[in-house]
Amino acid sequence: MLSVARNYFRNGFHLFFPQIDWGGAGPGFLEMELPIVPFLTALLWKAFGVHELLAGAIPVACGIGTVVVLARLVTRLAGPAAGFGAGIFAAASPLFAWHGTTFQEEAPMLFASVLAVDAMERWFETDAPRDLFLDGLFTSLAILVKATALLIGLPLLYVFWEKWRGTPLLRRPAFWIFGTLVLLPPVLWYSHAHGLYVKWGNTFG
């Protein structure tokens, strides 16, 4: 992952063409999930110089953001005491702390997922199109960063069912628009990333 950030910094900020150093005789273009952490880290290096501490800035910021948004969400749902407890529990979780301080994509994926659930809960209460759009945007970003974030679709589907109970989901244009917003960017990215693998043979699996 650090080699991807270094190659963005050295070879130009071409987000759609992540490179590694072990790519044989080719340019090292790589099949991977959307490399948000390496790309943003390279931008930080461009702005502030290459410092080791900056490599942890994005995961740490996403970890803190996740705790804050989760506490806010639970506060709305169950009150301040529950919100505070949820934030403390998340921050003290060893696995969460590890993901929030390592150079991996899990921290931004969790942050985007919590933002998506937060936006969906607001939309459930307000029916504001802006909240539904933000939910779709954050859900799509979570899937782009880590494909396993597709699992977030299960609770979101339940919220749709609760919101529109009595009306088939497939008859709701907003449901189709939301699904397109969520799934189209990941389909395009993963198709492009697979094309890099087919051409150059490098993959993170």
Side-chain angles (χ1 to χ4, degrees):
M1 289 279 285
L2 277 171
S3 66
V4 176
R6 183 171 59 247
N7 283 314
Y8 277 135
F9 179 74
R10 290 177 176 174
N11 302 329
F13 297 87
H14 307 293
L15 174 61
F16 301 133
F17 293 91
Q19 292 174 275
I20 36 80
D21 296 331
W22 40 266
F29 294 135
L30 173 73
E31 177 190 52
M32 64 181 300
E33 289 150 329
L34 189 67
I36 290 293
V37 172
F39 185 77
L40 293 179
T41 299
L43 289 177
L44 289 176
W45 287 345
K46 183 71 173 178
F48 302 107
V50 179
H51 302 288
E52 186 175 338
L53 286 176
L54 290 178
I58 303 303
V60 168
C62 289
I64 294 171
T66 299
V67 171
V68 170
V69 175
L70 179 64
R72 184 182 68 185
L73 171 62
V74 176
T75 296
R76 286 206 311 270
L77 294 173
F84 179 77
I88 292 296
F89 182 81
S93 167
L95 185 59
F96 178 81
W98 184 77
H99 282 310
T101 54
T102 55
F103 196 73
Q104 300 186 63
E105 304 284 0
E106 275 77 3
M109 182 270 287
L110 288 171
F111 187 34
S113 298
V114 172
L115 284 170
V117 174
D118 183 63
M120 176 60 89
E121 191 276 333
R122 290 199 310 272
W123 172 75
F124 186 86
E125 297 296 332
T126 66
D127 209 28
R130 173 181 174 273
D131 291 327
L132 187 60
F133 172 78
L134 288 174
D135 178 31
L137 191 67
F138 291 133
T139 303
S140 186
L141 179 60
I143 297 169
L144 282 164
V145 173
K146 292 290 290 185
T148 51
L150 280 164
L151 291 172
I152 198 178
L154 296 176
L156 297 185
L157 187 63
Y158 174 76
V159 172
F160 274 118
W161 181 78
E162 278 288 327
K163 180 77 171 179
W164 292 329
R165 186 179 293 187
T167 304
L169 292 180
L170 299 183
R171 294 184 182 177
R172 292 276 187 169
F175 182 75
W176 289 101
I177 295 171
F178 177 83
T180 301
L181 175 62
V182 167
L183 295 177
L184 183 58
V187 167
L188 293 175
W189 168 255
Y190 287 114
S191 297
H192 165 70
H194 183 65
L196 295 178
Y197 169 70
V198 169
K199 186 170 184 178
W200 302 108
N202 304 309
T203 182
F204 274 167

